[in-house]
Amino acid sequence: MKIVVLTKAAVPLSSAIRIDPKTGTLIREGVPLTVNIWDRDAVEFALRLKDRYGGEVIALSMAPPSGIPALESLIGMGVDRAILASDRAFAGADTWATAHVLAKTIEKYIPDYDLVVAGEETIDSTTAHIGAQTASWLGVPYIYYVYDAEVKGRTLVVRRFLEDEGVDEVYEVDMPAVISVLKGSQIPREVRLSRKLNAREYIQVVSNKELGLDPECVGLRGSPTLVAGMAPATYPPRKKVVIQGEPSEVVKKLVEILKSEGVV
Amino acid sequence: MPCRLWPPINKEDYRGVWVYLEREGDRLKDVGLELLGKARDLAQKLGGVEVAGVLVAGGEDLAREAIYHGADKVVIIDNPDLKIYTPAEYAEAIARVVQKYRPEIFLIGATKRGRELAAYIANTLATGITADCTALEIDPKTRDLLQIRPTFGGTQLATIRTPQRRPQMASVRPGVFPKPPRDPSRTGEIIVEKVEITKRRTRLVSIEKRLEKDIADLPPVESSDIVVAGGRGLGTAEGFKLLVELAKLLNGTVGASLMAVRAGWVPHTRQIGQTGKTIRPKLYIAVGISGAIQHLMGITEAKMIIAINPDPHAPIMENADYAVVGDYKQIIPMLIEELKRLKNQS
Ligand SMILES: Cc1cc2nc3c(=O)[nH]c(=O)nc-3n(C[C@H](O)[C@H](O)[C@H](O)COP(=O)(O)OP(=O)(O)OC[C@H]3O[C@@H](n4cnc5c(N)ncnc54)[C@H](O)[C@@H]3O)c2cc1C
Ligand SMILES: Nc1ncnc2c1ncn2[C@@H]1O[C@H](COP(=O)(O)O)[C@@H](O)[C@H]1O
């Protein structure tokens, strides 16, 4: 099985997000990009399929060169090789333009893929668009929120969970296909330092010189959506009454408040 | 010259505000009705254009329900192959109908299935889409939809446009807009469209309700008037038992911050915030939650917020109506005792 895993080198959850007050853009300096946490579920899922059925797992990412360490850590997890689609022309892409580059990279460099595995969403964009858009670009079926799968000939039998309806569903999907992996559903394996040491050798960087995409259809210019404004989020005013003192006094006041609000 | 894969179109050819009406079995999900309410508001700002809903394989009773909630028209996609939901096939069929009627705006509820469908539909229509909008406005000059969504971890609100393409697409989480009142005197048009799909490549094999053991069978956070939420400051899963007890006494439910979910104390269906649920309870009690901006985003529409935290400078204290400075381990058990005493009196 040839499996492509889409992974984003994202701003990690733990880092304090800082905004340039002048431009309203994210300050990336000094913020090391790491693999989007939910993509580690996707990588683990792909590696488990490979453990069972054999084949190859290829990580694919569109990112600036600062995304390389993230891919190195995936090689350390056991991914066979990685492709980084990286070009100044790709900067500022919306999800349409990002999926465009990812799909064209797959078609050119991994045309014989059986399965594309994405994470459920990214921690810094949280759109969950890219999986479906990549499927649309590739013209293949797709399914989200998968936590288990089995190969039966040319179909993949997947189990998935819909959190908001509380249901488990089993689907058969014809391959090639795109799936996204339910976040938190896998226990990602450790990064092995021995593999990570020469990881760079397994990472291929491709630019738009190789991909040859119309520069009008990638990056900021190739994005049908446009960020027209950015403003700090503001919240409605609150009363801000401070209550402190002996716990028994505090509780008395709390009960009064609950009573006057008709809660008790 | 813009990208030739999505060349500019004649925007005059596109009119009306459309909404995807998601079904759950034999009923409509609330989010579709909520969006009809918002669609009416947008349609009025666009000079009184039509509001319509798209329903896949649903009965006329459901279409009428949508009309009672604000639709002028409902298109039912009638294809026996589409009785059962599968993403690729549904997305293709919906895109076909939208392509035929050419609305200027198409809104989708960001349920799990909605999020799965939305971006594929947008790609099929070669248009842009913005996920999880929290506000939608109209720029009267250009008729552009201003798609407002939190970004950069919720610290900023981005305003996004799709200036050159139609329809303009946006998804919106359930509960963000209020559900309009049901008015059974409203009338509208119901159209049945036979839509073919190219090829079936996904098949449902089975579906079953998961009997997940959620904490103490409490109602979901999005449908409770009173939510008692806990964060990392609770320190242990035991701490949550106190919150469950308090929530039950108040006839409410229990919610959590991301950190409490990651600690494994609560299932992530109860997470409040940017990557969790947006809620609008009458009362929100935040216990051991610092009030990171991503968390606050989920509770901006709470009528009242009470925070309990020993740190008077925690951001939640600045964003509360009542900021209780103290240790929950002392306050909550005493509060529970007091409430029990009151209950026994009455
Ligand atoms: C893109 C992105 C999305 C995110 N989405 C969400 C989201 O949807 N929801 C969410 O919640 N977070 C989200 N986060 C995480 C968020 O930034 C915070 O990390 C998180 O909300 C903090 O959780 P907490 O308040 O429980 O923990 P902490 O920040 O560690 O706060 C614990 C609090 O408990 C208090 N405390 C300690 N002891 C006691 C005691 N005995 N009694 C009472 N109080 C006590 C402390 O003073 C402190 O204020 C997101 C982050 C990012 C970057
Ligand atoms: N720049 C990127 N490069 C590679 N994969 C990506 C990129 N952005 C998003 N993805 C994939 O798409 C999934 C959904 O991302 P998003 O639509 O940003 O929430 C992620 O979990 C990744 O698997």
Side-chain angles (χ1 to χ4, degrees), chain A residues 13 17 19 24 26 37 96 100 120-121 125-129 132-133 135-137 139-145 147 155 160-174 183 214 216-217 221-233 235-236 238-244 247-248 250-251 254-255 257-259 261 263-264, chain B residues 1 3-6 22 24 29 85-88 111-113 115-117 119-120 123 128-129 131-132 149 151-163 201-210 226 250 258 262 268-269 275 277 283 293 297 299-300 302-306 318-325 330-331 334-335 338-339 342:
Chain A
L13 183 62
I17 286 168
I19 308 295
L26 192 63
I37 45 168
W96 187 92
H100 182 204
E120 182 176 331
E121 62 184 16
S125 315
T126 59
T127 73
H129 284 173
Q133 279 169 320
S136 166
W137 274 106
V140 301
Y142 70 107
I143 192 127
Y144 275 12
Y145 321 116
Y147 66 90
T155 66
R160 64 122 161 221
F161 179 57
L162 290 176
E163 180 246 280
D164 53 358
E165 292 179 23
V167 299
D168 273 301
E169 295 182 326
V170 178
Y171 285 90
E172 270 175 18
V173 188
D174 295 344
K183 64 182 179 187
D214 181 347
E216 298 297 336
C217 297
R221 282 194 288 178
S223 298
T225 63
L226 174 91
V227 180
M230 193 70 77
Y235 293 102
R238 295 282 171 191
K239 288 200 195 91
K240 298 186 197 172
V241 178
V242 177
I243 300 175
Q244 51 191 347
S248 58
V250 166
V251 168
L254 272 177
V255 171
I257 294 165
L258 294 179
K259 272 185 182 161
E261 288 299 313
V263 175
V264 290
Chain B
M1 243 329 246
C3 170
R4 72 199 140 73
L5 297 172
W6 44 269
E22 187 182 333
E24 183 167 1
K29 279 193 181 166
Y85 171 86
T86 53
T111 59
K112 292 291 166 184
R113 292 188 207 272
R115 298 189 105 210
E116 181 175 51
L117 285 172
Y120 192 99
N123 242 55
I129 171 157
D132 297 339
R149 88 176 294 246
T151 186
F152 298 145
T155 55
Q156 306 279 310
L157 282 178
T159 300
I160 294 166
R161 293 178 190 245
T162 312
R201 293 176 299 182
T202 22
R203 294 161 296 274
L204 180 70
V205 178
S206 69
I207 176 165
E208 62 190 89
K209 201 93 185 157
R210 193 189 269 197
I226 295 167
L250 297 172
L258 173 64
R262 284 179 109 187
H268 74 282
T269 47
T275 48
K277 301 275 161 68
L283 173 63
I293 193 129
M297 280 173 59
I299 53 171
T300 51
K303 280 239 173 56
M304 176 182 285
I305 298 176
I306 298 177
E318 280 289 300
N319 286 282
D321 295 289
Y322 297 97
V324 178
V325 185
Q330 291 182 311
I331 293 167
M334 283 172 78
L335 182 59
E338 190 57 24
L339 292 175
L342 286 173

Side-chain angles (χ1 to χ4, degrees), chain A residues 6-8 36 39 60-62 118-119 121-122 127-130:
Chain A
L6 303 181
T7 61
K8 182 173 181 183
N36 167 39
D39 292 351
L60 170 60
S61 195
M62 184 186 97
E121 62 184 16
T122 51
T127 73
H129 284 173
I130 300 288

Side-chain angles (χ1 to χ4, degrees), chain B residues 161-175:
Chain B
R161 293 178 190 245
T162 312
Q164 309 197 50
R165 295 293 300 178
R166 295 291 182 267
Q168 307 161 86
M169 284 186 61
S171 71
V172 178
R173 295 262 175 117

